[in-house]
């Protein structure tokens, strides 16, 4: 097993709310290997976006707080890194693209202004050199007329074009890791396909690792090589994409896969019964037990540990064969 | 280029606006019950004496004729003679307007140089000490009556501490600098007269602070709230995620976006300030338009009232135009 590029271990993040501290991430662990596209799936509010933002340490604080764990990237724990060193990593070694291409670019500056700024924040280059890198990147994301795009303001571009601009901007310093937080959710389906194709191509060509946060199992199936499934602030299953779809081990993962439209058969839409527990006062034991059809007495008492059920397939469930207790 | 064409169109459109203002001002001022001629000659004067004054100022003619006469004069730059002091109104305005303009600009400088940084600080350090301090400053500002604030300033800095002069634009013994702009501070600099500059500035400080405090408070609050709104935007997260420094995130990415609502408020405030800071000018015996217009209204001095109204409304129109042009520079989504 090669050392992973990114290793998140037992990461806990909480937010102050008027009702109390919300444990949004509770000892979540996952790793991303070099050059792979790792999917991070789960329903809205499960903490997947918070996890990706925690890697860059851009969780607004207050109210957010990283309570514990470690985030090892290229051999360094990012949580103990001085602010300045952390800032130097952002946009350079680790980049991030967001869900809303409409609002992720500053409306009052041109695309070129914003792209050059990122490059020149990390590289000692002239304006002209930065400009050349911008043009090259815009071509890499297959934007026609890159010169025109650079001179344009964000509102003059379509959503798909803006997301390509974001990708070009975020990859302009050749990062090792791209955090993509629902990058296609706000786009229509045809554009979504193009963006995913670009991400897959760049990953393959540049050896770029991508942590792709999504709630769309279809997207996962399309471009990810491995997947981590999150539920209520915890990572409950990690597997390569084939095993996950063929032999989902965790009841929640099975529910997720069953909920993909068109899979339940006869036009029925399957939905997991119940709703996500509150992060403020989470239930003891397995967080999924109240919605789980197979839960037993252990599930209410003890938090299940992640256990390998097959090579490169780990699950945290008391009911899985070999799962549950370490 | 498009912005120039736009400015030109707006200037053309200002003509009907100003005409409308002049008609309204004319009708309203003439609708006030009372006879300026009677006010001049006093209650015991003969009917003939009153009539003579009325005739002299054309007040015996029908209103539309009087208005057209006023308009005719306006085209040649003549605003008529003051009924009260018989001086041409243009001369009066040339005396009083620069004083008000100087006071207004000084207040504006104070408002912006204190209000904007304070608002930014409050937004960036939200719910911390600086924010609470800025909140106290602005709540005190919006809730302190100007007349009381002015008197307290005089009491403290003039009477007790004797740090600053309490009235007028210069010491009574000083002659104003050779007039180029009518703004003593600017004229003193142009003349290279440093002692006089010092004197003019020291006279400006108290009235300018008194006049600006309310607006400073409002601007601080507006900058704070628009800054907080902007700092929550996705592109700010993008900027931070790209490893830009906190300074660049705040001053480049957030500030320009937060200026748009601020410019609106500043424009409105500036118009109000120019419209005559009557209380402030009275408290500090500042020879500006505020005091002039109050005296004119009391004397039913129609030409003076009309002259003031035109100057004030022209200033309003110009400021609004300036604000609209600034919008286009600040926000590329606005195209004219």
């Amino acid at each position: 097993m090669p050392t992973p590029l990114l290793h998140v271990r037992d990461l806990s993040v909480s937010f102050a709310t008027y009702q109390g501290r919300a444990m949004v991430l509770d000892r979540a662990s996952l790793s991303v290997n070099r050059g792979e596209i790792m999917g991070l799936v789960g329903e809205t509010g499960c903490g997947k976006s918070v996890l990706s933002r925690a890697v860059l340490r851009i969780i607004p604080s207050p109210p957010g707080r990283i309570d514990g764990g470690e985030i090892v990237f290229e051999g360094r724990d990012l949580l103990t890194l001085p602010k300045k060193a952390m800032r130097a990593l952002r946009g350079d070694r680790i980049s991030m693209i967001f869900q809303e291409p409409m609002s992720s670019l500053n409306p009052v500056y041109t695309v070129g202004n914003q792209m050059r700024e990122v490059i020149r924040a990390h590289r000692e280059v002239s304006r002209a050199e930065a400009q050349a890198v911008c043009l090259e990147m815009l071509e890499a994301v297959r934007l026609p007329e890159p010169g025109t795009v650079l001179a344009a303001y964000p509102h003059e571009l379509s959503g798909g074009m803006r997301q390509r601009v974001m990708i070009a901007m975020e990859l302009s310093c050749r990062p090792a890791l791209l955090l993509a937080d629902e990058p296609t959710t706000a786009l229509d389906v045809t554009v979504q396909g193009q963006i995913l194709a670009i991400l897959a191509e760049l990953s393959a060509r540049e050896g770029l690792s991508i942590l792709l946060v999504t709630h769309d199992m279809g997207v996962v199936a399309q471009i990810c090589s491995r997947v981590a499934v999150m539920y209520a602030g915890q990572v409950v299953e990690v597997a390569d994409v084939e095993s996950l779809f063929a032999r989902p081990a965790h009841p929640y993962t099975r529910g997720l896969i069953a909920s993909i439209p068109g899979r339940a058969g006869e036009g029925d839409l399957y939905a997991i019964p119940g709703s996500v527990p509150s992060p403020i006062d989470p239930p003891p034991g397995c967080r999924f037990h109240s919605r789980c059809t197979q839960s037993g007495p252990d599930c209410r008492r003890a938090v299940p540990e992640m256990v390998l059920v097959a090579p490169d397939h780990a699950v945290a469930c008391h009911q899985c064969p070999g799962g549950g207790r370490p | 280029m498009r912005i120039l064409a736009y400015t030109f169109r707006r200037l053309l459109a200002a003509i009907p606006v100003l005409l409308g203002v002049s008609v309204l001002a004319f009708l309203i001022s003439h609708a006030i019950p009372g006879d300026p001629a009677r006010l001049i000659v006093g209650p015991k004067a003969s009917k003939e004496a009153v009539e003579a004054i009325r005739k002299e100022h054309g007040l015996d003619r029908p209103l539309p004729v009087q208005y057209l006469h006023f308009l005719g004069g306006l085209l040649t730059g003549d605003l008529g003679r003051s009924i009260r002091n018989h001086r041409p109104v243009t001369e009066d305005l040339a005396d009083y307007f620069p004083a008000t303009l100087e006071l207004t600009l000084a207040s504006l400088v104070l408002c912006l140089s204190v209000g904007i940084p304070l608002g930014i600080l409050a937004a960036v350090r939200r719910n911390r000490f600086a924010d609470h301090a800025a909140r106290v400053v602005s709540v005190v500002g919006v809730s302190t009556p100007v007349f009381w604030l002015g008197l307290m300033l005089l009491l403290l800095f003039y009477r007790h501490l004797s740090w600053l002069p309490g009235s007028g634009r210069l010491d009574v013994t000083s002659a104003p600098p050779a007039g180029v702009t009518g703004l003593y501070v600017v004229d003193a600099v142009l003349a290279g007269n440093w002692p006089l500059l010092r004197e003019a500035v020291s006279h400006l400080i108290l009235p300018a602070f008194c006049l600006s405090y309310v607006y400073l408070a409002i601007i601080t609050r507006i900058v704070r709230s628009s800054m907080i709104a902007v700092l929550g935007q996705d592109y700010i997260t993008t900027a931070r995620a790209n490893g830009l420094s906190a300074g660049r995130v705040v001053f480049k990415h957030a500030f320009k976006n937060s200026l748009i609502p601020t410019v609106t408020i500043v424009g409105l405030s500036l118009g109000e300030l120019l419209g005559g800071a009557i209380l402030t000018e009275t408290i500090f015996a500042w020879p500006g338009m505020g005091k002039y217009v109050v005296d004119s209204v009391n004397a039913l001095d129609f030409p003076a009232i009309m002259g003031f109204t035109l100057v004030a409304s022209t200033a309003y129109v110009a400021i609004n135009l300036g604000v609209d042009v600034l919008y286009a520079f600040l926000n590329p989504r606005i195209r004219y």
Side-chain angles (χ1 to χ4, degrees), chain A residues 58-121:
Chain A
I58 53 166
I59 289 174
S61 167
R65 191 177 69 197
I66 295 177
D67 294 317
E70 52 184 30
I71 300 171
V72 181
F73 174 77
E74 293 183 328
R76 290 191 288 178
D77 182 2
L78 301 185
L79 294 183
T80 59
L81 223 52
K83 271 187 178 172
K84 208 173 159 189
M86 190 62 221
R87 202 198 306 142
L89 276 182
R90 293 184 191 130
D92 187 8
R93 301 298 299 152
I94 310 177
S95 287
M96 185 155 190
I97 56 176
F98 299 93
Q99 177 170 350
E100 277 299 334
M102 293 295 176
S103 53
S104 300
L105 289 163
N106 195 326
V108 302
Y109 295 106
T110 60
V111 166
N113 181 325
Q114 298 180 60
M115 285 187 73
R116 286 192 302 270
E117 185 183 22
V118 178
I119 296 168
R120 298 183 75 182

XYZ file of all heavy atoms in Angstrom, chain A residues 58-121:
498
model
N -10.720 26.207 6.247
C -11.457 27.434 5.947
C -12.858 27.379 6.555
O -13.774 28.043 6.096
C -11.564 27.719 4.429
C -12.124 26.507 3.691
C -10.219 28.125 3.853
C -12.556 26.823 2.276
N -13.008 26.581 7.589
C -14.284 26.587 8.301
C -14.381 27.894 9.079
O -13.441 28.249 9.791
C -14.365 25.374 9.239
C -14.535 24.113 8.404
C -15.508 25.511 10.233
C -14.475 22.852 9.187
N -15.471 28.653 8.904
C -15.576 29.915 9.629
C -15.538 29.677 11.140
O -16.284 28.860 11.666
C -16.920 30.488 9.187
C -17.661 29.361 8.564
C -16.646 28.385 8.072
N -14.637 30.371 11.785
C -14.462 30.149 13.215
C -14.362 31.480 13.934
O -13.471 32.254 13.626
C -13.181 29.342 13.440
O -12.827 29.360 14.805
N -15.237 31.806 14.907
C -16.440 31.054 15.244
C -17.464 31.127 14.109
O -17.311 31.983 13.264
C -16.935 31.781 16.497
C -16.413 33.190 16.366
C -15.132 33.068 15.613
N -18.472 30.276 14.097
C -18.908 29.318 15.092
C -18.221 27.952 15.020
O -18.356 27.156 15.931
C -20.393 29.154 14.778
C -20.460 29.327 13.301
C -19.402 30.346 12.954
N -17.489 27.673 13.922
C -16.930 26.332 13.753
C -15.667 26.125 14.578
O -14.989 27.079 14.953
N -15.355 24.885 14.876
C -14.147 24.585 15.631
C -13.717 23.163 15.294
O -14.544 22.254 15.252
C -14.432 24.697 17.134
C -13.179 24.676 18.007
C -13.557 24.866 19.452
N -14.270 23.706 19.963
C -15.001 23.715 21.083
N -15.155 24.836 21.764
N -15.599 22.619 21.494
N -12.417 22.997 15.023
C -11.899 21.652 14.807
C -11.501 21.106 16.170
O -10.640 21.660 16.850
C -10.702 21.675 13.831
C -11.201 22.137 12.444
C -10.054 20.295 13.738
C -10.123 22.284 11.398
N -12.189 20.051 16.618
C -12.015 19.590 17.994
C -10.906 18.561 18.146
O -10.387 18.356 19.240
C -13.324 18.985 18.514
C -14.410 20.032 18.627
O -14.103 21.135 19.105
O -15.554 19.759 18.220
N -10.562 17.893 17.054
C -9.513 16.896 17.225
C -9.279 16.130 15.940
O -9.974 16.326 14.937
N -8.281 15.272 15.985
C -7.942 14.462 14.840
C -6.738 15.025 14.134
O -6.098 15.967 14.613
N -6.384 14.414 13.016
C -5.298 14.976 12.233
C -5.589 14.881 10.747
O -6.375 14.027 10.298
C -3.953 14.332 12.578
C -3.930 12.824 12.537
C -2.562 12.286 12.985
O -1.915 12.967 13.817
O -2.151 11.231 12.487
N -4.990 15.809 10.002
C -5.143 15.832 8.549
C -3.739 15.836 7.986
O -3.068 16.866 7.992
C -5.910 17.090 8.100
C -7.306 17.128 8.729
C -6.014 17.124 6.579
C -8.040 18.434 8.513
N -3.265 14.662 7.577
C -1.890 14.573 7.098
C -1.895 14.672 5.581
O -2.543 13.884 4.892
C -1.235 13.252 7.553
C 0.205 13.184 7.062
C -1.289 13.134 9.071
N -1.181 15.692 5.087
C -1.092 15.912 3.648
C 0.377 15.996 3.284
O 1.116 16.787 3.866
C -1.822 17.203 3.277
C -1.652 17.594 1.833
C -2.364 16.949 0.826
C -0.761 18.594 1.474
C -2.210 17.303 -0.501
C -0.595 18.952 0.143
C -1.320 18.312 -0.841
N 0.812 15.173 2.349
C 2.223 15.112 1.953
C 3.131 15.043 3.176
O 4.144 15.717 3.254
C 2.577 16.318 1.080
C 1.870 16.276 -0.277
C 2.267 17.431 -1.210
O 2.556 18.522 -0.681
O 2.276 17.214 -2.427
N 2.708 14.247 4.162
C 3.550 14.007 5.323
C 3.466 15.039 6.430
O 4.121 14.902 7.456
N 2.684 16.111 6.239
C 2.588 17.123 7.286
C 1.169 17.177 7.833
O 0.208 17.080 7.076
C 2.937 18.503 6.723
C 4.389 18.664 6.386
C 4.691 20.107 6.093
N 4.133 20.538 4.813
C 4.238 21.792 4.354
N 4.839 22.717 5.082
N 3.738 22.112 3.184
N 1.050 17.342 9.165
C -0.284 17.490 9.747
C -0.740 18.937 9.572
O -0.192 19.866 10.157
C -0.262 17.128 11.237
C -1.665 17.221 11.843
O -2.624 17.519 11.095
O -1.803 16.987 13.065
N -1.764 19.114 8.736
C -2.218 20.473 8.411
C -2.773 21.196 9.630
O -2.756 22.415 9.688
C -3.289 20.428 7.312
C -2.882 19.792 5.986
C -4.001 19.946 4.972
C -1.602 20.428 5.452
N -3.273 20.424 10.605
C -3.894 21.083 11.757
C -2.869 21.738 12.673
O -3.211 22.603 13.466
C -4.752 20.090 12.551
C -5.981 19.581 11.801
C -6.802 18.666 12.683
C -6.840 20.731 11.305
N -1.609 21.324 12.562
C -0.588 21.942 13.415
C 0.267 22.933 12.626
O 1.190 23.527 13.166
C 0.343 20.873 14.025
O 0.960 20.161 12.948
C -0.439 19.902 14.890
N -0.056 23.113 11.359
C 0.728 24.006 10.502
C 0.474 25.471 10.897
O -0.663 25.847 11.185
C 0.282 23.793 9.055
C 1.351 23.723 7.970
C 2.423 22.723 8.324
C 0.696 23.358 6.649
N 1.528 26.312 10.914
C 1.282 27.735 11.176
C 0.383 28.329 10.080
O 0.372 27.837 8.944
C 2.679 28.368 11.105
C 3.641 27.253 11.127
C 2.929 26.015 10.681
N -0.323 29.381 10.449
C -1.291 29.994 9.522
C -0.675 30.316 8.163
O -1.281 30.115 7.130
C -1.837 31.291 10.124
C -3.064 31.084 10.989
C -3.648 32.426 11.399
C -4.906 32.217 12.235
N -5.418 33.466 12.810
N 0.548 30.869 8.222
C 1.170 31.333 6.988
C 1.474 30.164 6.050
O 1.231 30.229 4.841
C 2.447 32.110 7.330
C 2.778 33.158 6.296
C 3.934 34.021 6.728
C 4.549 34.685 5.504
N 5.804 35.362 5.822
N 1.981 29.089 6.634
C 2.302 27.913 5.830
C 1.019 27.311 5.259
O 0.990 26.827 4.128
C 3.034 26.893 6.688
N -0.043 27.360 6.054
C -1.328 26.838 5.597
C -1.829 27.658 4.414
O -2.314 27.113 3.420
C -2.324 26.916 6.776
C -3.626 26.194 6.520
S -3.407 24.415 6.269
C -4.555 24.137 4.920
N -1.677 28.987 4.533
C -2.140 29.861 3.448
C -1.357 29.577 2.168
O -1.911 29.607 1.071
C -1.986 31.320 3.865
C -2.903 32.220 3.077
C -2.482 33.680 3.155
N -2.339 34.151 4.494
C -1.384 35.001 4.871
N -0.509 35.462 3.986
N -1.305 35.407 6.111
N -0.065 29.294 2.335
C 0.755 29.023 1.158
C 0.302 27.748 0.444
O 0.442 27.619 -0.764
C 2.221 28.913 1.572
N -0.257 26.801 1.208
C -0.732 25.551 0.596
C -2.017 25.745 -0.202
O -2.231 25.125 -1.233
C -1.025 24.522 1.693
C 0.111 23.681 2.240
C -0.440 22.718 3.282
C 0.756 22.891 1.115
N -2.877 26.621 0.341
C -4.197 26.813 -0.281
C -4.060 27.403 -1.679
O -3.400 28.415 -1.861
C -5.037 27.784 0.547
C -5.432 27.292 1.896
C -6.336 28.331 2.557
N -6.530 28.011 3.953
C -6.358 28.889 4.942
N -6.030 30.131 4.668
N -6.548 28.519 6.186
N -4.730 26.784 -2.623
C -4.688 27.303 -3.985
C -3.420 26.900 -4.706
O -3.295 27.106 -5.903
N -2.439 26.360 -3.957
C -1.177 25.963 -4.576
C -1.079 24.433 -4.603
O -1.180 23.821 -5.660
C -0.017 26.586 -3.799
C 1.312 26.346 -4.482
O 1.300 25.832 -5.620
O 2.359 26.664 -3.905
N -0.916 23.812 -3.414
C -0.863 22.348 -3.371
C -2.264 21.733 -3.264
O -2.500 20.633 -3.714
C -0.007 21.866 -2.184
C 1.438 22.353 -2.196
C 2.192 21.862 -3.412
N 2.272 20.411 -3.465
C 2.364 19.717 -4.591
N 2.387 20.356 -5.753
N 2.441 18.416 -4.558
N -3.161 22.437 -2.554
C -4.542 21.949 -2.419
C -5.472 23.046 -2.912
O -5.383 24.185 -2.458
C -4.906 21.648 -0.947
C -3.857 20.771 -0.274
C -6.289 20.995 -0.862
C -4.129 20.499 1.184
N -6.351 22.720 -3.822
C -7.301 23.701 -4.330
C -8.711 23.212 -4.095
O -8.929 22.043 -3.782
C -7.111 23.912 -5.823
O -5.950 24.639 -6.052
N -9.649 24.116 -4.282
C -11.030 23.716 -4.036
C -11.965 24.386 -5.038
O -11.811 25.569 -5.330
C -11.416 24.136 -2.613
C -12.783 23.661 -2.215
S -12.898 23.533 -0.423
C -14.459 22.693 -0.279
N -12.917 23.612 -5.535
C -13.983 24.217 -6.338
C -15.310 23.928 -5.656
O -15.451 22.955 -4.920
C -14.003 23.731 -7.805
C -14.112 22.212 -7.875
C -12.789 24.217 -8.539
C -14.234 21.694 -9.289
N -16.264 24.821 -5.922
C -17.494 24.793 -5.141
C -18.709 24.490 -6.001
O -18.660 24.463 -7.219
C -17.678 26.132 -4.432
C -16.556 26.453 -3.484
C -15.467 27.197 -3.913
C -16.574 25.990 -2.188
C -14.429 27.485 -3.056
C -15.544 26.267 -1.324
C -14.469 27.016 -1.757
N -19.821 24.342 -5.278
C -21.079 23.971 -5.918
C -21.622 25.058 -6.840
O -22.118 24.776 -7.909
C -22.099 23.677 -4.814
C -23.477 23.343 -5.333
C -24.363 22.836 -4.208
O -23.900 22.566 -3.116
N -25.631 22.704 -4.495
N -21.533 26.306 -6.388
C -22.205 27.385 -7.095
C -21.242 28.180 -7.966
O -20.644 29.145 -7.509
C -22.870 28.333 -6.084
C -24.218 27.889 -5.590
C -25.254 27.765 -6.700
O -25.099 28.475 -7.730
O -26.194 26.987 -6.548
N -21.103 27.797 -9.243
C -20.184 28.572 -10.084
C -20.693 30.002 -10.275
O -19.944 30.890 -10.596
C -20.166 27.802 -11.399
C -21.444 27.049 -11.428
C -21.783 26.748 -10.006
N -22.009 30.198 -10.043
C -22.593 31.527 -10.222
C -22.036 32.519 -9.206
O -21.896 33.683 -9.479
C -24.114 31.466 -10.064
C -24.805 30.698 -11.152
S -24.590 31.523 -12.741
C -25.372 30.362 -13.833
N -21.773 32.043 -8.006
C -21.385 32.985 -6.959
C -19.967 32.765 -6.439
O -19.540 33.443 -5.532
C -22.379 32.891 -5.802
O -22.507 31.555 -5.387
N -19.251 31.810 -7.032
C -17.908 31.530 -6.515
C -16.848 32.462 -7.065
O -15.726 32.489 -6.575
C -17.504 30.094 -6.838
O -18.419 29.216 -6.239
N -17.201 33.197 -8.123
C -16.253 34.172 -8.663
C -16.708 35.560 -8.257
O -17.910 35.841 -8.198
C -16.191 34.056 -10.192
C -15.515 32.792 -10.719
C -15.878 32.564 -12.181
C -14.009 32.880 -10.572
N -15.749 36.433 -7.985
C -16.084 37.782 -7.557
C -16.685 38.572 -8.729
O -16.053 38.714 -9.772
C -14.818 38.473 -7.042
C -15.143 39.718 -6.256
O -16.104 40.425 -6.559
N -14.355 39.997 -5.247
N -17.908 39.084 -8.551
C -18.596 39.723 -9.673
C -17.963 41.026 -10.156
O -18.243 41.465 -11.270
C -20.009 39.995 -9.129
C -19.864 40.003 -7.652
C -18.756 39.036 -7.348
N -17.136 41.652 -9.341
C -16.652 42.977 -9.745
C -15.243 42.964 -10.350
O -14.697 44.020 -10.640
C -16.724 43.999 -8.577
C -18.146 44.122 -8.066
C -15.783 43.637 -7.449
N -14.662 41.764 -10.511
C -13.360 41.704 -11.172
C -13.440 40.758 -12.373
O -14.235 39.817 -12.376
C -12.281 41.206 -10.209
C -12.028 42.161 -9.066
C -12.474 41.881 -7.780
C -11.377 43.377 -9.289
C -12.264 42.773 -6.740
C -11.163 44.272 -8.258
C -11.606 43.966 -6.987
O -11.405 44.854 -5.966
N -12.591 41.003 -13.355
C -12.605 40.126 -14.519
C -12.025 38.763 -14.143
O -11.318 38.616 -13.152
C -11.758 40.706 -15.674
O -10.421 40.843 -15.210
C -12.273 42.054 -16.138
N -12.352 37.795 -14.984
C -11.823 36.443 -14.795
C -10.299 36.478 -14.760
O -9.660 35.877 -13.886
C -12.324 35.540 -15.944
C -11.544 34.241 -15.978
C -13.817 35.288 -15.796
N -9.701 37.233 -15.694
C -8.241 37.305 -15.771
C -7.644 37.869 -14.496
O -6.660 37.335 -13.961
N -8.249 38.930 -14.001
C -7.787 39.557 -12.760
C -7.746 38.523 -11.637
O -6.742 38.403 -10.919
C -8.754 40.707 -12.435
C -8.368 41.467 -11.181
O -7.855 40.879 -10.230
N -8.628 42.762 -11.162
N -8.819 37.740 -11.515
C -8.900 36.783 -10.411
C -7.957 35.611 -10.599
O -7.349 35.117 -9.643
C -10.349 36.309 -10.240
C -11.268 37.457 -9.893
C -12.720 37.034 -9.722
O -13.041 36.213 -8.885
N -13.605 37.598 -10.526
N -7.828 35.151 -11.864
C -6.930 34.010 -12.109
C -5.476 34.408 -11.879
O -4.712 33.676 -11.244
C -7.120 33.493 -13.540
C -8.413 32.704 -13.729
S -8.499 31.946 -15.362
C -7.299 30.616 -15.180
N -5.108 35.584 -12.416
C -3.713 36.029 -12.251
C -3.377 36.224 -10.783
O -2.273 35.927 -10.335
C -3.488 37.345 -13.012
C -3.412 37.192 -14.512
C -2.904 38.477 -15.159
N -3.731 39.623 -14.837
C -4.783 40.018 -15.557
N -5.123 39.353 -16.644
N -5.489 41.066 -15.199
N -4.363 36.707 -10.033
C -4.114 36.969 -8.615
C -3.713 35.680 -7.890
O -2.794 35.676 -7.068
C -5.364 37.566 -7.976
C -5.130 37.984 -6.535
C -6.374 38.520 -5.867
O -7.493 38.214 -6.321
O -6.224 39.258 -4.882
N -4.428 34.585 -8.206
C -4.108 33.319 -7.546
C -2.696 32.874 -7.917
O -1.899 32.492 -7.055
C -5.129 32.231 -7.940
C -4.757 30.909 -7.296
C -6.529 32.647 -7.543
N -2.394 32.964 -9.220
C -1.063 32.513 -9.660
C 0.017 33.346 -8.993
O 0.995 32.828 -8.451
C -0.952 32.613 -11.201
C -1.951 31.646 -11.850
C 0.476 32.297 -11.652
C -2.128 31.858 -13.336
N -0.186 34.655 -8.970
C 0.863 35.539 -8.440
C 0.910 35.526 -6.913
O 1.870 36.006 -6.323
C 0.683 36.946 -9.001
C 0.817 36.940 -10.525
C 0.728 38.300 -11.122
N 1.965 39.052 -10.882
C 2.126 40.308 -11.278
N 1.154 40.936 -11.896
N 3.258 40.933 -11.041
N -0.145 34.970 -6.287
C -0.084 34.813 -4.832
C 0.881 33.686 -4.467
O 1.408 33.642 -3.367
C -1.474 34.523 -4.271
